[in-house]
């Protein structure tokens, strides 16, 4: 009997894996693999193909579970062994639905929850599997009650399957059925782990919520932005990980263990920016996504960082976003976003460089005017530019060179620095342009502009003279906290923007209440205007794109914080 049982279980797995609904909707031009279980995929189906086709697709999925149990029941008379085989067949069909052979779908597998198949399994167990009705109807009742009370499909499903596993464990059925009941619960828990995390973080939509999607409403657009923790304090902000903090404090878990664990976590939705509304009345929903890589990982394992960025872009697409921005150190991975865009062509990817440069361009005249208004002689001043090998910092140097007596360009590559300096010397023959790789030269400057991609502070108190003004464009900050304690030193954060409307978020993104980094604002502007070809990718930033974002920011109601 063992061999026939194994054959029937294999057949149940294949029945569960059949992409019947996918094939049906595919004939109507809808690829179900692009409908995310994280974002109420059933609503997508109903909206795009109508109730008739959606119900037919749902019936096919439920039918798979019913048929799998029905086939298993044909092995023999409905005795205890037959009932056990039917429960095992239900588990096999569910596993087939969640993890089908790649030959049926290709590289992009479906991400469905499998609830309809589970409904078919329970129906099959009642009709053909020989299980008493209380073993199958009570879990359904618990599912319905949990869904009605919480509104979360994931929570209701897990509670219903927990009830089923418990009832099977208390029944006279044999060990195989009890293992199968527990297997259903464990399989569902693994599939719903991200949904449960989002319930804890307060970002999971409830049944009936108006979830925004591409093209659903003309006055609502959806964007996403990829972030990461800069410190372990940021890591604890998400409730799904906050329980680890006391374990670290008590020494049960080490910080090294947490950092290693963070590298294994795929991108997830951890927050949302709401209340953003342009002056023209368009609402912008911004999903905050995170794969919690610490800053040093971007330096030590760029291949992992690029892979996680690609996964994040795919998640953003599944969530219905039209554009995804790469924040903080995500902006430098994969050739500054080019590899990410090539891997996920279905969504616009931007590193935010153009509007970041635009905010600097807008802020510098005001900073220089305030500096001159404080009684300083701007024309006789020495200004230093840190990170001058980079595009943004070189743009700063080019802007300030005509207005000061001397510019010190500081960077890591002396040959490249000298080539950039030659360009500035030709354009500004009256300004002394110097290059250096030593931070001690910063003490000669009364104005310092910094824009590096270093994960740690690079400017410390020993590098700065009292009375110096510092414009810090680095994210994370280039200036160490010790600098602010020097006499009369002023540190001005750069690239900070206030979106229009009344923006709210549960997460502290470290830019002050109602404010965001310019790279995130660029993502919002792209979503609002639909001018996706203006995206920032790679090291080059077009002047016309910089001007576009500055102009559109003013039209839409974005303001630079100075």
């Amino acid at each position: 009997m063992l061999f026939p049982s194994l054959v029937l279980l294999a057949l149940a797995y294949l029945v569960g894996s059949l992409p019947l609904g996918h094939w049906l909707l595919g004939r109507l031009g809808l690829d179900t693999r692009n409908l995310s279980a994280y974002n109420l995929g059933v609503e997508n189906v109903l909206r795009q193909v109508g109730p008739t086709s959606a119900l037919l697709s749902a019936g096919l999925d439920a039918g798979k579970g019913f048929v799998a149990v029905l086939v298993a029941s044909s092995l023999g008379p409905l005795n205890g062994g037959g009932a056990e085989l039917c429960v095992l067949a239900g588990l096999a069909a569910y596993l087939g639905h969640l993890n089908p052979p790649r030959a049926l779908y290709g590289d992009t597998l479906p991400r469905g929850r499998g609830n309809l198949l589970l409904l078919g399994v329970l129906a099959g167990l009642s009709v053909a599997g020989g299980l008493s009705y209380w073993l199958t109807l009570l879990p359904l009742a618990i599912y319905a009650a949990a869904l009605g009370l919480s509104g979360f499909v994931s929570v209701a499903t897990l509670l219903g399957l927990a009830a089923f596993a418990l009832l099977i464990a208390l029944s006279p059925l044999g060990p195989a059925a009890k293992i199968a009941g527990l297997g259903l619960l464990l399989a569902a828990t693994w599939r719903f782990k991200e949904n449960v995390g989002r319930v804890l973080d307060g970002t999971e939509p409830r049944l009936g919520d108006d979830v925004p999607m591409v093209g659903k409403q003309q006055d609502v657009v959806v964007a996403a932005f990829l972030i990461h923790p800069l410190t372990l304090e940021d890591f604890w902000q998400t409730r799904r990980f906050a329980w680890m903090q006391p374990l670290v404090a008590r020494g049960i878990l080490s910080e090294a263990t947490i950092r290693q664990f963070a590298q294994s976590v795929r991108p997830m939705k951890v927050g949302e920016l709401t209340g953003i509304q342009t002056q023209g009345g368009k609402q912008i929903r911004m999903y905050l996504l995170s794969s919690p890589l610490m800053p040093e990982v971007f330096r030590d394992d760029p291949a992992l960082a690029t892979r996680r960025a690609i996964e994040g872009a795919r998640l953003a697409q599944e969530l219905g976003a039209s554009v995804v921005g790469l924040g903080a150190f995500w902006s430098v991975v994969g050739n500054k976003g080019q590899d990410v865009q090539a891997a996920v062509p279905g969504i616009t990817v931007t590193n935010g460089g153009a509007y970041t440069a635009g905010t600097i361009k807008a802020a510098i005249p005001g900073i220089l005017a305030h500096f001159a208004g404080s009684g300083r002689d701007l024309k006789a001043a020495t200004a230093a530019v840190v990170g001058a090998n980079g595009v943004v910092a070189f743009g700063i140097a080019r802007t300030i060179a005509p207005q000061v007596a001397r510019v010190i360009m500081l960077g890591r590559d002396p040959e490249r620095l000298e080539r950039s300096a030659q360009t500035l010397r030709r354009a500004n023959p009256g300004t002394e342009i110097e290059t250096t790789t030593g931070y001690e030269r910063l003490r000669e400057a009364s104005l310092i502009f910094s824009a590096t991609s270093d994960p740690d502070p690079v400017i410390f108190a020993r590098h700065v003279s009292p009375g110096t003004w510092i414009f810090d464009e680095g994210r994370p900050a280039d200036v160490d906290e010790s600098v602010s304690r020097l006499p009369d030193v002023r540190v001005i954060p750069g690239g900070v923007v206030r979106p229009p409307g009344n923006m709210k978020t549960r997460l502290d993104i470290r830019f002050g209440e109602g404010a965001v980094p310019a790279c995130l604002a660029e993502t919002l502007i792209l979503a609002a205007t639909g001018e996706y070809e203006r995206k920032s990718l790679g090291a080059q930033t077009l002047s016309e794109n910089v001007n576009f974002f500055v102009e559109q920011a003013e039209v839409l109601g974005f303001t630079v914080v100075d």
Side-chain angles (χ1 to χ4, degrees):
M1 292 293 290
L2 178 60
F3 179 73
S5 298
L6 292 176
V7 171
L8 283 175
L9 291 178
L11 182 60
Y13 171 85
L14 291 175
V15 169
S17 68
L18 289 176
L20 300 180
H22 170 69
W23 287 339
L24 171 67
L25 297 176
R27 295 178 66 86
L28 300 175
L30 181 63
D31 189 347
T32 57
R33 295 172 297 179
N34 294 329
L35 304 180
S36 174
Y38 302 151
N39 209 35
L40 301 179
V42 172
E43 183 183 348
N44 282 278
V45 175
L46 284 170
R47 182 174 64 86
Q48 297 188 46
V49 301
T52 302
S53 297
L55 287 173
L56 183 55
S57 173
L60 289 173
D61 277 347
K64 291 193 302 182
F66 186 88
V67 169
V69 175
L70 185 65
V71 170
S73 70
S74 66
L75 183 63
L78 295 180
N79 52 35
E84 288 184 23
L85 184 62
C86 289
V87 180
L88 285 168
L91 172 61
Y94 187 52
L95 293 175
H97 184 81
L98 298 184
N99 303 283
R102 288 189 178 273
L104 295 175
Y105 287 94
D107 290 335
T108 305
L109 297 179
R111 304 183 68 90
R113 295 183 173 102
N115 282 24
L116 291 166
L117 182 135
L118 288 173
L119 180 62
V121 167
L122 291 177
L125 290 174
S126 293
V127 174
L131 268 65
S132 62
Y133 288 116
W134 68 274
L135 285 175
T136 54
L137 292 182
L138 186 56
L140 285 176
I142 291 175
Y143 169 85
L147 184 59
L149 291 173
S150 72
F152 296 122
V153 175
S154 54
V155 172
T157 303
L158 292 177
L159 289 176
L161 286 175
F164 179 73
L166 179 61
L167 291 171
I168 292 292
L170 297 175
S171 74
L173 293 174
K178 301 181 192 304
I179 292 172
L182 180 61
L184 283 168
L185 176 60
L186 293 177
T189 301
W190 183 254
R191 174 47 60 99
F192 283 105
K193 62 184 185 299
E194 169 61 12
N195 298 89
V196 172
R198 284 171 44 177
V199 169
L200 294 174
D201 288 336
T203 60
E204 175 80 344
R206 298 174 188 268
L207 189 66
D209 282 356
D210 185 19
V211 180
M213 294 172 288
V214 175
K216 181 180 178 182
Q217 296 172 282
Q218 292 301 315
D219 60 345
V220 179
V221 293
V222 187
F225 194 70
L226 200 56
I227 61 176
H228 65 84
L230 299 177
T231 65
L232 282 180
E233 291 304 313
D234 293 332
F235 186 75
W236 308 136
Q237 280 199 61
T238 55
R239 294 171 187 159
R240 69 182 82 191
F241 298 137
W243 61 272
M244 298 181 184
Q245 185 176 17
L247 299 182
V248 173
R250 293 181 174 89
I252 299 173
L253 291 176
S254 67
E255 288 192 6
T257 300
I258 299 299
R259 291 175 183 274
Q260 187 66 34
F261 165 76
Q263 296 184 37
S264 67
V265 179
R266 293 167 62 93
M268 55 198 173
K269 179 183 173 186
V270 296
E272 184 174 346
L273 304 183
T274 60
I276 302 173
Q277 185 168 353
T278 69
Q279 291 182 354
K282 183 169 288 187
Q283 297 180 36
I284 311 175
R285 296 278 293 270
M286 168 65 80
Y287 296 141
L288 299 177
L289 313 181
S290 176
S291 176
L293 300 183
M294 294 296 176
E296 64 271 11
V297 178
F298 293 86
R299 177 191 63 228
D300 300 337
D301 196 348
L304 173 63
T306 300
R307 187 165 71 251
R308 291 287 184 253
I310 291 171
E311 292 167 352
R314 288 176 178 151
L315 176 58
Q317 183 180 9
E318 291 170 1
L319 289 171
S322 60
V323 56
V324 59
L326 305 177
F329 288 104
W330 293 115
S331 63
V332 299
V333 306
N335 294 315
K336 295 193 173 182
Q338 289 179 326
D339 296 347
V340 181
Q341 182 66 90
V344 194
I347 186 172
T348 299
V349 179
T350 183
N351 62 33
Y355 189 45
T356 299
T359 59
I360 295 170
K361 183 178 179 181
I364 286 178
I367 292 171
L368 296 180
H370 285 308
F371 181 83
S374 67
R376 311 287 189 92
D377 185 357
L378 182 62
K379 286 293 184 181
T382 294
V385 179
V386 181
N389 286 131
V391 174
V392 172
F394 178 72
I396 295 173
R398 187 165 49 190
T399 301
I400 65 174
Q403 305 182 63
V404 297
R406 182 167 62 133
V407 175
I408 300 173
M409 300 175 65
L410 191 154
R412 294 178 177 176
D413 186 338
E415 293 183 5
R416 186 176 169 188
L417 269 180
E418 187 57 36
R419 289 196 299 268
S420 298
Q422 290 291 358
T423 300
L424 292 184
R425 290 177 187 128
R426 287 193 295 269
N428 305 277
T431 303
E432 185 178 352
I433 310 293
E434 301 178 11
T435 63
T436 183
T437 58
Y439 280 84
E440 66 278 0
R441 293 288 306 278
L442 296 180
R443 292 189 61 84
E444 303 173 27
S446 54
L447 273 169
I448 298 175
F449 298 85
S450 186
T452 80
S453 297
D454 203 290
D456 302 307
V458 295
I459 301 174
F460 296 88
R462 64 181 180 274
H463 301 138
V464 180
S465 297
T468 302
W469 285 34
I470 308 174
F471 182 68
D472 186 359
E473 173 57 32
R475 287 297 175 270
D478 288 335
V479 179
D480 186 70
E481 293 181 357
S482 61
V483 175
S484 62
R485 294 192 286 270
L486 293 173
D488 301 319
V489 167
R490 182 178 178 185
V491 180
I492 306 165
V496 180
V497 178
R498 197 175 304 281
N502 184 24
M503 189 194 83
K504 296 184 182 301
T505 180
R506 187 187 61 79
L507 288 181
D508 180 5
I509 55 176
R510 308 300 190 195
F511 290 89
E513 185 176 355
V516 299
C519 51
L520 189 153
E522 176 174 317
T523 309
L524 295 170
I525 293 170
L526 284 173
T529 61
E531 298 280 350
Y532 301 120
E533 70 279 1
R534 301 283 190 177
K535 63 190 178 185
S536 300
L537 288 177
Q540 299 301 317
T541 302
L542 298 177
S543 297
E544 62 187 63
N545 287 346
V546 174
N547 295 332
F548 166 82
F549 284 108
V550 172
E551 293 167 2
Q552 288 300 311
E554 184 176 355
V555 170
L556 296 171
F558 290 80
T559 56
V560 177
V561 178
D562 53 22

